[in-house]
Amino acid sequence: MPDDAAAARAAAEEESAFSHSPVAPDVTAAYGDHPDQVIDFHAPRPGPGSTAPGALAPLVVVLHGGAWRARYDRRHLGPFADYLARRGFAVANVEYRRGGDGSAGGPAGRWPDTFDDVAAALDALPALAGEALPQADPRRTVLTGHSAGGHLALWAAARHVLPPDAPWRTDGPAALRGVVALAPIADLQVAEKLEVCAHASLQLLGGPDTFATRRPYADPVLLLPTGIATTLVQGRADLVVPEPVAESYAEAAAKAGEMVGLTLLEDVGHFPLIDPAADACAVVAEEIAQLAW
């Protein structure tokens, strides 16, 4: 159990990350008929790291966290998306169907809807971004996600190595410069052993009767190597998704011959990675830039 000081720091970090005013996107586009099947687009803004006038900007695709539960949607990542846009990136903030009715502690994820949506969003993204963000360069796309969204980012980059009967499998790897996964739930079995987010991984896969049989279709640690450059950014003081989850994925990826990096941040918890007021957010932006530019 965390001590009182660690718990207090974690609570303060969460409060800071959720304290920012909402940031409206420049354009919202639908990739399906369900209200959750939408993508918010943020155009690049003049500022540090901006492209030269008339030049195309790298496209950063963001998948939000929240334990795959409906209580959390893409809007809490609006300030983070705006932070990236103000550093010269074009940003696509993806929504997808989650579990529960929005109440605290509801079930995590919807099988197979959550995965259907992420696959459909990524498939539709090039055309939608071409219309919504003509400033974006789809040839320089980086996929990122936080927590449960980090899991989905790693999974989306691995669709070409899914089992042959998986409905989301693609013929080849996605056209990505790389993936930057932020405190990702990257190994569902380790996460379940650690009871991450109140057994959210178990719920995502439908419960104990289907957890083992669905893992090969859903667990990034079993979908290696992808051949896509991947960086994990993890706070060493993270009480929500502890460090061993990311370390397990990084170790498995390295053994599989994957080009993978693991950036561990001292005295950083779960939420500073997406908090524009936190120094850790600048580290994240730099990791994205190293892949995108």
Side-chain angles (χ1 to χ4, degrees):
M1 296 292 292
D3 60 33
D4 291 345
R9 180 172 64 182
E13 290 176 340
E14 181 175 3
E15 182 179 3
S16 177
F18 284 86
S19 68
H20 302 283
S21 299
V23 178
D26 295 292
V27 180
T28 298
Y31 63 87
D33 296 330
H34 192 277
D36 286 336
Q37 293 173 327
V38 294
I39 303 174
D40 286 345
F41 291 98
H42 296 255
R45 311 278 194 249
S50 296
T51 55
L56 296 178
L59 176 63
V60 180
V61 183
V62 177
L63 291 160
H64 71 82
W68 309 284
R69 292 186 172 111
R71 184 183 183 190
Y72 300 95
D73 64 20
R74 71 193 185 284
R75 287 173 290 190
H76 81 268
L77 275 195
F80 175 70
D82 178 68
Y83 177 90
L84 295 177
R86 287 186 281 110
R87 276 147 186 79
F89 299 107
V91 184
N93 187 6
V94 177
E95 190 59 276
Y96 53 89
R97 284 174 284 181
R98 288 98 55 221
D101 59 4
S103 59
R110 291 171 56 172
W111 181 278
D113 303 8
T114 299
F115 297 91
D116 287 345
D117 286 0
V118 173
L122 271 293
D123 290 344
L125 187 65
L128 293 178
E131 295 179 4
L133 290 181
Q135 312 96 319
D137 184 354
R139 298 168 301 177
R140 290 185 291 161
T141 299
V142 175
L143 185 56
T144 189
H146 178 240
S147 196
H151 158 268
L152 293 171
L154 294 169
W155 176 85
R159 289 170 59 198
H160 59 294
V161 295
L162 283 167
D165 63 336
W168 313 291
R169 183 182 168 99
T170 56
D171 293 334
L176 297 171
R177 284 287 182 91
V179 178
V180 179
L182 313 176
I185 306 179
D187 184 326
L188 299 184
Q189 184 162 274
V190 171
E192 177 55 21
K193 288 179 180 178
L194 295 175
E195 301 181 9
V196 167
C197 299
H199 297 286
S201 299
L202 185 69
Q203 296 168 25
L204 174 69
L205 300 193
D209 292 340
T210 53
F211 183 77
T213 57
R214 289 176 175 173
R215 271 192 72 214
Y217 299 86
D219 196 340
V221 78
L222 300 181
L223 301 172
L224 293 165
T226 67
I228 295 173
T230 300
T231 297
L232 283 65
V233 183
Q234 176 72 41
R236 304 199 79 158
D238 193 331
L239 302 181
V240 179
V241 183
E243 184 180 333
V245 181
E247 289 180 331
S248 177
Y249 178 90
E251 181 180 351
K255 286 181 178 178
E258 192 79 287
M259 186 166 63
V260 61
L262 175 59
T263 299
L264 297 172
L265 303 180
E266 296 289 342
D267 300 320
V268 171
H270 192 63
F271 291 98
L273 303 179
I274 58 165
D275 182 358
D279 292 342
C281 202
V283 175
V284 169
E286 180 57 31
E287 295 285 2
I288 293 171
Q290 288 183 19
L291 292 174
W293 292 102

